[in-house]
């Protein structure tokens, strides 16, 4: 269990994070979502005891990181943003060193290390010098390092950075598997990653938590009004007229000429109205076929703008989490 | 602490650094021994110990320049500081790794004593006293080097700054003979690592001076621990 209350960290005059509070329960996988510089790494560094907060406290399994550092750190496996590797060691030597460093006891060294490298898929690279490994493999060694000693809390700072798409899926599955009996915080700036792995998302921006929710609730919130791009084969002006005439369409205009004789249109529907069917029928009647139809992906920035708007004006009320709500959590 | 010490020791000998250090040390010492003892057919080791002392200033930076600098650069300090080891454990582990490499080089010089003993009589008490004192001075130097390396992530700056500090100590030592004011002399004596060594050279084992070496070492190791802790607040 991770309890964080009122963490504030300033870098000179700049505010790194501002009164961050949350609780992560045992066996929960929580995603930290935020743009670069939002304070994700700072928060993680404070939880793991690498940095100290100006105020507030972080507790791991009830142990304060500042007051009881050695004991608290025993419970943590940490993969920092840049994997902390000794390049002059082989994977085997390095993990064996970590085993000693973390004072692992009760598990046999060779068995435990075998298990860890199997888990992250490093078996073939076990005897290689870390210096010679590719970025993806280095990231895996970093991951393996965090797993040594079977810590009950895992803090992973952008664990899938630098991996190729196949490896990303593999590592996500590994994390999911680990999450069954561990508490995990992972940070990312990729929206899909959160919905793929996490049960809960903390959205952090400018050093503050702007949302704390389940990923599906969050995506419902942020797709409250739908934006679509439609590619239609037909003359620009008449297609636009037809689109604007469709029931529920708030705005429609051509953006670019996509293929010969067809245009991409940006269509914005009124909140909670699905315009796809009436749009199709209207265009079909007029004899202009739809070549492509997709909903626009919101960028992370758009999400923040929306969440911040929601927080301020309550225009789109935040869906409440049906799951356990902890005390000490930020309320909006 | 032992895990870090073992890793650093290994690190010295998986990179050229440990070999360069031991080789440089042994080349200088062998040359000295050959010129002063063998060519002169002399049984005295005083010059050898003197050179041993002064060469420390030049070779210790090789040993300590990357102690913390390399960790800062590779971000492995993040690993050490988030592992269940106290900052003092980290510092001591790194200090003893460097110190053991030095001891390894020093042990190789025992050959001179054996050679001299084979062809004549060596004052064993004086030799042992000298070795203990050399270890004391080396501990001081290594702790200074370790401290300086904890200030920067650049190995080169670390090495040059350490050399500069040692040069300053040497200059202070030279100044001792040039001034006559009693209190300045007292201050200089207090600061001079070398001057305290003279008693050992003369074959007197001075416990007070040995304690002085240990205390200075402890001070610099303590400062290094504070540096590591301070990093957290930056």
């Amino acid at each position: 269990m991770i309890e964080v209350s009122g963490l504030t960290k300033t870098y000179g005059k700049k505010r790194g994070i501002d009164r961050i509070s949350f609780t992560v329960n045992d066996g929960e996988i929580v995603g930290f979502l935020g743009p670069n510089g939002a304070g994700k790494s700072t928060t993680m560094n404070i939880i793991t005891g690498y940095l100290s907060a100006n105020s507030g406290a972080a507790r791991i399994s009830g142990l304060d990181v500042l007051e009881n550092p050695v004991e608290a750190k025993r419970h943590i496996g940490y993969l920092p943003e840049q994997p902390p590797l000794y390049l002059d060691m082989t994977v085997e030597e390095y993990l064996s060193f970590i085993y000693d460093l973390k004072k692992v006891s009760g598990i046999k060294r060779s068995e435990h290390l075998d298990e860890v490298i199997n888990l992250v898929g490093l078996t073939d690279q076990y005897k290689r010098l870390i210096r010679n490994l590719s970025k993806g493999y280095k990231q895996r060694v970093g991951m393996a390092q965090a797993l040594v000693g079977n810590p009950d809390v895992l803090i992973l700072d952008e664990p899938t950075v630098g991996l190729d798409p196949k490896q990303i899926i593999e590592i996500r599955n590994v994390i999911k598997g680990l999450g069954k009996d561990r508490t995990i915080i992972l940070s990312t700036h990729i929206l899909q990653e959160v919905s793929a792995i996490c049960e809960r998302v903390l959205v952090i921006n400018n050093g503050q938590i702007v949302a704390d929710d389940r990923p599906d609730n969050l995506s419902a919130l942020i797709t409250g009004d739908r934006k679509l791009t439609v590619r239609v084969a037909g003359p620009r002006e008449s297609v636009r007229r037809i689109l604007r005439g469709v029931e529920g369409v708030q705005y429609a205009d051509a953006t670019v000429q996509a293929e010969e004789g067809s245009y991409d249109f940006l269509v914005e529907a009124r909140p909670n109205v699905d315009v796809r069917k009436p749009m199709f029928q209207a265009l079909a009647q007029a004899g202009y076929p739809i070549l492509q139809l997709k909903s626009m992906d919101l960028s992370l920035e758009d999400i923040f703008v929306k969440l911040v708007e929601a927080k301020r004006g309550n225009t789109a009320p935040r869906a409440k989490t049906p799951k356990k709500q902890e005390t000490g959590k930020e309320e909006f | 602490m032992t895990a870090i010490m073992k890793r650093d020791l290994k690190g010295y000998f998986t990179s050229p650094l440990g070999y360069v250090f031991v080789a440089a040390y042994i080349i200088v010492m062998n040359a000295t021994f050959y010129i002063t003892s063998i060519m002169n057919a002399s049984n005295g080791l005083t010059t050898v110990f003197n050179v041993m002392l002064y060469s420390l200033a030049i070779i210790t930076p090789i040993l300590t320049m990357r102690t913390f600098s390399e960790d800062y650069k590779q971000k492995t300090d993040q690993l050490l500081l988030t592992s269940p080891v106290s900052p003092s454990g980290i510092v001591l582990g790194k200090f003893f790794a460097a110190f053991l490499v030095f001891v390894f080089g020093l042990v190789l010089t025992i050959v001179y004593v054996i050679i001299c003993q084979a062809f004549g009589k060596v004052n064993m008490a004086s030799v042992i006293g000298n070795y203990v004192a050399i270890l004391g001075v080396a501990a001081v130097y290594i702790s200074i080097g370790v401290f300086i390396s904890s200030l920067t992530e650049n190995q080169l700056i670390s090495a040059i700054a350490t050399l500069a500090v040692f040069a300053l100590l040497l200059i202070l030592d030279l100044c001792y003979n040039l001034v006559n004011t009693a209190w300045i002399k007292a201050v200089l004596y207090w600061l001079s690592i070398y001057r305290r060594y003279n008693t050992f050279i003369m074959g007197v084992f001075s416990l007070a001076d040995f304690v002085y070496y240990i205390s200075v070492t402890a001070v610099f190791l303590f400062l290094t621990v504070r540096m590591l802790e301070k990093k957290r607040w930056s």
Side-chain angles (χ1 to χ4, degrees), chain A residues 77-242:
Chain A
Y78 180 34
L79 169 65
E81 207 170 0
Q82 188 186 329
L85 307 174
Y86 283 105
L87 302 179
D88 57 354
M89 297 173 108
T90 65
V91 176
E92 184 182 15
E93 286 169 343
Y94 176 71
L95 293 179
S96 182
F97 161 63
I98 302 291
Y99 180 94
D100 289 333
L101 187 70
K102 291 189 178 177
K103 300 176 186 131
V104 181
S105 59
I107 331 166
K108 234 183 118 203
R109 182 189 304 255
S110 54
E111 280 170 22
H112 181 51
L113 296 187
D114 274 352
E115 187 193 354
V116 168
I117 55 161
N118 264 328
L119 208 57
V120 296
L122 270 174
T123 322
D124 295 338
Q125 324 294 330
Y126 198 40
K127 303 273 180 198
R128 285 181 68 189
L129 211 56
I130 294 178
R131 184 187 303 281
N132 300 333
L133 295 179
S134 68
K135 192 167 189 304
Y137 278 125
K138 280 183 184 154
Q139 186 73 17
R140 287 174 191 227
V141 179
M143 187 83 184
Q145 164 272 124
L147 296 176
V148 169
N150 286 330
D152 27 288
V153 171
L154 282 177
I155 314 266
L156 309 171
D157 201 347
E158 309 207 338
T160 55
V161 157
L163 303 180
D164 62 42
K166 187 170 156 279
Q167 293 173 326
I168 288 181
I169 293 168
E170 280 173 23
I171 288 287
R172 281 181 189 169
N173 287 335
V174 169
I175 296 173
K176 257 185 165 170
L178 290 167
K180 285 180 188 126
D181 49 359
R182 284 183 183 80
T183 312
I184 301 180
I185 299 186
L186 67 95
S187 78
T188 178
H189 52 255
I190 307 160
L191 200 54
Q192 290 85 341
E193 189 148 293
V194 173
S195 32
I197 320 177
C198 305
E199 298 145 12
R200 196 174 130 204
V201 195
L202 294 171
V203 183
I204 180 168
N205 191 28
N206 283 331
Q208 282 183 313
I209 294 182
V210 289
D212 177 353
D213 217 324
R214 294 166 62 85
D216 38 348
N217 285 342
L218 204 61
S219 44
L221 169 74
I222 56 194
T223 50
D225 45 324
R226 304 177 71 93
K227 275 187 194 171
L228 303 166
T229 46
V230 197
R231 183 172 297 173
V232 184
R236 190 172 167 156
E237 266 312 301
S238 35
V239 173
R240 192 175 68 172
R241 223 173 305 122
I242 293 166

Side-chain angles (χ1 to χ4, degrees), chain A residues 9-11 45 48-54 65-66 69-71 73-74 76 78 80-89 93-94 97-98 100-103 145, chain B residues 1-8 10-12 14-15 66 70-87 94 228-229 231-234:
Chain A
K9 172 86 181 168
T10 51
Y11 294 105
N45 277 331
T48 53
Y50 180 62
L51 290 177
S52 293
N54 297 79
V65 181
L66 214 58
V70 174
E71 269 308 306
K73 285 170 189 172
R74 248 177 224 278
I76 307 175
Y78 180 34
E81 207 170 0
Q82 188 186 329
L85 307 174
Y86 283 105
L87 302 179
D88 57 354
M89 297 173 108
E93 286 169 343
Y94 176 71
F97 161 63
I98 302 291
D100 289 333
L101 187 70
K102 291 189 178 177
K103 300 176 186 131
Q145 164 272 124
Chain B
M1 182 194 117
T2 42
I4 293 171
M5 187 185 81
K6 269 198 246 162
R7 199 228 79 82
D8 267 36
K10 226 187 233 171
Y12 276 117
T14 47
S15 71
R66 67 168 202 175
E70 182 76 2
D71 280 281
Y72 292 162
K73 203 165 202 171
Q74 305 291 347
K75 306 271 184 209
T76 40
D77 60 320
Q78 207 162 4
L79 171 74
L80 301 178
L81 288 168
T82 57
S83 64
V85 181
S86 64
K94 288 190 168 287
L228 282 192
E229 281 172 353
K231 260 178 76 76
R232 283 218 310 236
W233 299 97
S234 59

Side-chain angles (χ1 to χ4, degrees), chain B residues 31-163:
Chain B
T32 312
F33 179 66
Y34 187 75
I35 294 165
T36 63
S37 300
I38 296 189
M39 277 169 74
N40 289 335
S42 149
N43 202 18
L45 285 168
T46 314
T47 322
V48 173
F49 281 119
N50 246 325
V51 171
M52 214 182 259
L53 174 73
Y54 284 100
S55 62
L56 275 181
I58 297 158
I59 56 163
T60 336
I62 304 177
L63 210 52
T64 59
M65 63 183 189
R66 67 168 202 175
T67 309
F68 281 101
S69 310
E70 182 76 2
D71 280 281
Y72 292 162
K73 203 165 202 171
Q74 305 291 347
K75 306 271 184 209
T76 40
D77 60 320
Q78 207 162 4
L79 171 74
L80 301 178
L81 288 168
T82 57
S83 64
V85 181
S86 64
S88 48
I90 298 172
V91 172
L92 283 179
K94 288 190 168 287
F95 168 78
F96 279 119
F99 191 67
L100 282 180
V101 175
F102 172 76
V103 170
F104 177 69
L106 192 66
V107 163
L108 296 177
T109 66
I110 291 180
V111 175
Y112 313 148
V113 181
I114 297 170
I115 293 172
C116 286
Q117 181 70 11
F119 295 100
K121 187 133 177 45
V122 177
N123 182 348
M124 270 305 166
S126 155
V127 165
I128 292 168
N130 268 298
Y131 270 115
V132 172
I134 288 276
L135 286 176
V137 177
V140 171
Y141 277 16
I142 291 169
S143 68
I144 294 176
V146 166
F147 171 66
I148 291 172
S149 84
S150 78
L151 302 175
T152 168
E153 62 164 54
N154 187 320
Q155 290 186 25
L156 201 65
I157 291 175
S158 163
I160 291 171
T162 313
L163 263 179

Side-chain angles (χ1 to χ4, degrees), chain A residues 273-315:
Chain A
V273 181
D274 191 352
V275 295
R276 287 173 298 178
K277 280 180 196 163
M279 203 164 65
F280 168 79
Q281 266 150 5
L283 287 166
Q285 257 171 16
Y288 301 132
I290 293 179
L291 303 179
Q292 208 181 60
L293 172 65
K294 61 177 178 185
S295 59
M296 286 248 294
D297 285 331
L298 283 177
S299 70
L300 212 50
E301 279 69 33
D302 292 338
I303 294 171
F304 291 122
V305 170
K306 278 190 188 301
L307 286 169
V308 172
E309 271 173 10
K311 189 181 163 187
R312 282 213 195 99
N314 243 352
T315 44

Side-chain angles (χ1 to χ4, degrees), chain A residues 52-72:
Chain A
S52 293
N54 297 79
S55 64
R59 263 183 292 278
I60 308 290
S61 308
L63 295 160
D64 192 300
V65 181
L66 214 58
E67 282 164 18
N68 211 338
V70 174
E71 269 308 306

